[in-house]
Amino acid sequence: MFVTVTSECIECGACEAICPQVFRMNSYGIAEAYSNPVPQDAEESTKVAAKSCPVAAIILE
Ligand code: SF4
């Protein structure tokens, strides 16, 4: 599974809080997915993060 953060990110930090293994806030203050493909043991928390994003900026493929 691959994950992308779109430019819709509003910098809330939820995805990093839920799944720091995959998401981090970059130097511009927006989220990025730094672990692709998503490690198998992080797939569930990545899906939770995607569902928790208030602006649906996390795309799973
Ligand atoms: S949960 Fe969504 S809006 Fe919040 S930091 Fe992550 S990608 Fe950005």
Side-chain angles (χ1 to χ4, degrees):
M1 183 171 77
F2 287 85
V3 59
T4 305
V5 177
T6 74
S7 59
E8 301 299 312
C9 174
I10 58 168
E11 308 167 18
C12 76
C15 55
E16 183 183 48
I18 293 167
C19 186
Q21 192 176 348
V22 171
F23 301 98
R24 65 186 171 202
M25 307 309 286
N26 68 21
S27 58
Y28 299 103
I30 62 173
E32 65 178 1
Y34 68 94
S35 186
N36 268 309
V38 174
Q40 198 164 9
D41 65 352
E43 286 192 353
E44 285 308 311
S45 56
T46 299
K47 290 176 185 175
V48 172
K51 287 181 182 169
S52 302
C53 178
V55 292
I58 298 172
I59 308 299
L60 305 179
E61 299 175 86

